[in-house]
């Protein structure tokens, strides 16, 4: 009877944990609960109530429901057996074991299916033989997949090495760029210092020349002032003394009035320092760059 009308899993489930009863106990209200679930429920509620109907239990240690426990154990055993038996797939049409494999339809069939109209004219072979054939094919495919995996792993390693080399190249090139620009900066600083030094030298030379010239002109101004005073005094003299000395006075005046020598090239030659400055610096930089290029080409040839 139990076999023809088996009880459902729900009828063997605890109302608290909803799993198959484990050590079920029977309450005075006739409800059954797992012993562990009941103790946890009572501890949470703080009172001895039935988890199903909330009726207070008269016993603090309800008795074990042995009949239900035996039924649950039988149910679990039966379910385990059904699960094991279910591992062997049967024909969905004839409920027979699938012992043959239809080569045309590529599906397992039973002996009844082989004689039926759907497969009667089809070639069939034993399941074991079909399994061996397909396993051989899968083995070949698996070997191809494994070889493909090996190639992919090798390609991945090569890509990882390339990525690492790219990073090294970037760092190395960055360092070289900084070094070359530092050389260019140093060259420009040296050129700037040289230009400023040349300017300073010319400034000192011409400043010295102007100081010397100023001193000479100060002397000439003092001498000229004396001559003016003497001449004015001569003009105030009596006629005879004036005539006796006038020739000498005129000679002195004419000597002083001779053309004054002007200072030439006194200013700094700005054009010399600024004219074509960029061109001259660039020309020198080109020579240095050509030297660096030849050095690099020679180094590359040596490395090869």
């Amino acid at each position: 009877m139990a076999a023809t009308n088996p009880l459902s899993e729900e009828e063997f489930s605890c109302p608290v944990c909803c799993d198959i009863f484990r050590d079920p106990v029977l309450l005075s209200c006739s409800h059954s609960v797992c012993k562990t679930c009941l103790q946890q429920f009572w501890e949470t509620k703080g009172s001895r109530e039935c988890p199903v109907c909330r009726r207070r239990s008269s016993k603090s240690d309800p008795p074990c429901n042995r009949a239900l426990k035996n039924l649950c154990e039988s149910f679990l055993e039966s379910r385990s057996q059904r699960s094991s038996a279910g591992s062997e797939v049967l024909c969905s049409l004839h409920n027979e074991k699938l012992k043959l494999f239809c080569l045309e339809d590529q599906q397992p069939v039973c002996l009844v299916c082989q004689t039926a109209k759907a497969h009667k004219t089809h070639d069939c072979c034993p399941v074991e033989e079909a399994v061996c054939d397909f396993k051989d094919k899968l083995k070949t495919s698996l070997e191809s997949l494994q070889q493909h995996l090996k190639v992919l792993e090798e390609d991945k390693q090569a890509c990882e090495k390339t990525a690492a080399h790219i990073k090294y190249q970037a760092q190395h090139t960055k360092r070289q760029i900084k070094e070359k620009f530092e050389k260019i900066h140093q060259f420009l600083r040296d050129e700037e210092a040289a230009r400023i030094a040349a300017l300073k030298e010319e400034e000192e030379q011409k400043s010295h020349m102007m100081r010397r010239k100023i001193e000479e002109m100060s002397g000439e101004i003092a001498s000229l002032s004396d001559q003016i005073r003497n001449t004015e005094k001569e003009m105030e003299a009596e006629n005879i003394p004036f005539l006796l000395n006038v020739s000498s006075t005129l000679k002195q005046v004419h000597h002083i009035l001779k053309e004054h020598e002007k200072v030439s090239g006194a200013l700094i030659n700005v054009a010399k320092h600024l004219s074509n400055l960029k061109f001259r610096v660039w020309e020198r930089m080109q020579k240095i760059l050509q030297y660096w290029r030849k050095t690099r080409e020679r180094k590359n040839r040596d490395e090869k």
Side-chain angles (χ1 to χ4, degrees):
M1 185 109 177
T4 57
N5 185 25
L7 296 174
S8 66
E9 183 174 336
E10 184 179 355
E11 295 177 84
F12 294 101
S13 299
C14 170
V16 177
C17 65
C18 299
D19 199 359
I20 304 300
F21 282 108
R22 302 278 181 186
D23 295 327
V25 293
L26 182 63
L27 298 174
S28 55
C29 60
S30 299
H31 289 120
S32 295
V33 186
C34 291
K35 184 175 181 179
T36 303
C37 294
L38 181 64
Q39 294 299 328
Q40 292 177 351
F41 180 79
W42 282 358
E43 289 176 3
T44 303
K45 293 291 291 182
S47 60
R48 295 198 299 270
E49 295 179 0
C50 171
V52 180
C53 65
R54 295 296 190 271
R55 183 176 174 181
R56 186 174 179 79
S57 175
S58 59
K59 297 179 181 180
S60 60
D61 188 15
C64 175
N65 191 341
R66 294 193 178 277
L68 180 59
K69 181 178 181 181
N70 292 335
L71 285 173
C72 289
E73 290 175 352
S74 298
F75 175 79
L76 291 171
E77 183 178 357
S78 175
R79 187 173 68 176
S80 176
Q81 289 176 354
R82 287 199 305 272
S83 176
S84 299
S87 61
E88 184 177 11
V89 182
L90 301 178
C91 176
S92 60
L93 296 176
H94 309 107
N95 203 30
E96 296 286 338
K97 291 183 178 181
L98 300 171
K99 293 186 176 182
L100 299 174
F101 183 78
C102 178
L103 298 175
E104 185 169 338
D105 293 333
Q106 293 289 296
Q107 67 178 35
V109 295
C110 68
L111 294 174
V112 179
C113 289
Q114 184 190 22
T115 59
K117 184 178 180 180
H119 300 281
K120 189 173 183 180
T121 59
H122 296 172
D123 290 333
C124 297
C125 69
V127 167
E128 293 79 6
E129 183 178 328
V131 168
C132 289
D133 290 343
F134 280 116
K135 282 189 175 181
D136 288 340
K137 292 179 180 179
L138 280 177
K139 183 180 179 181
T140 302
S141 299
L142 181 61
E143 289 174 352
S144 299
L145 289 174
Q146 290 172 338
Q147 183 63 30
H148 185 56
L149 175 62
K150 183 179 179 182
V151 171
L152 282 177
E153 289 175 343
E154 291 175 351
D155 290 345
K156 181 186 174 184
Q157 290 179 354
C159 288
E160 288 173 347
K161 289 181 179 178
T162 302
H165 186 62
I166 289 171
K167 187 174 182 180
Y168 165 78
Q169 280 183 315
Q171 293 174 345
H172 181 65
T173 306
K174 180 181 178 181
R175 186 167 58 252
Q176 287 184 317
I177 290 172
K178 285 182 173 292
E179 290 175 356
K180 291 186 181 299
F181 268 97
E182 177 56 31
K183 290 180 180 179
I184 294 173
H185 294 159
Q186 186 60 48
F187 166 77
L188 292 174
R189 286 193 292 268
D190 292 343
E191 281 294 312
E192 179 185 8
R195 295 298 93 206
I196 291 175
L199 174 62
K200 187 176 181 181
E201 182 181 359
E202 185 177 355
E203 177 193 9
E204 291 177 352
Q205 290 175 354
K206 294 197 172 180
S207 295
H208 176 71
M209 181 183 68
M210 293 308 298
R211 285 194 299 270
R212 184 168 52 82
K213 192 64 178 177
I214 289 170
E215 290 176 359
E216 292 177 357
M217 292 176 69
S218 296
E220 291 177 3
I221 290 172
S223 177
L224 181 58
S225 298
D226 291 341
Q227 185 61 49
I228 290 172
R229 286 193 297 270
N230 292 333
T231 303
E232 290 174 346
K233 186 183 289 187
E234 288 290 333
M235 291 177 67
E236 294 175 357
E238 296 293 336
N239 292 338
I240 299 303
F242 171 77
L243 291 173
L244 291 174
N245 295 322
V246 68
S247 296
S248 175
T249 302
L250 286 173
K251 288 181 181 179
Q252 291 177 358
V253 170
H254 291 160
H255 176 72
I256 292 174
L257 289 178
K258 68 180 179 179
E259 186 178 356
H260 177 68
E261 182 182 356
K262 295 183 179 180
V263 179
S264 61
L267 296 178
I268 289 177
N269 190 353
V270 176
K272 181 185 73 173
H273 296 286
L274 296 181
S275 178
N276 296 326
L277 177 61
K278 290 190 292 185
F279 175 77
R280 292 201 305 272
V281 172
W282 174 244
E283 191 176 39
R284 292 194 59 188
M285 283 183 64
Q286 281 186 317
K287 291 180 180 179
I288 293 175
L289 290 173
Q290 289 176 359
Y291 170 75
W292 288 349
R293 184 171 64 251
K294 290 179 181 179
T295 303
R296 185 176 66 251
E297 291 174 352
R298 185 165 58 252
K299 182 179 179 182
N300 292 336
R301 287 197 301 269
D302 294 341
E303 288 177 352
K304 291 179 180 180

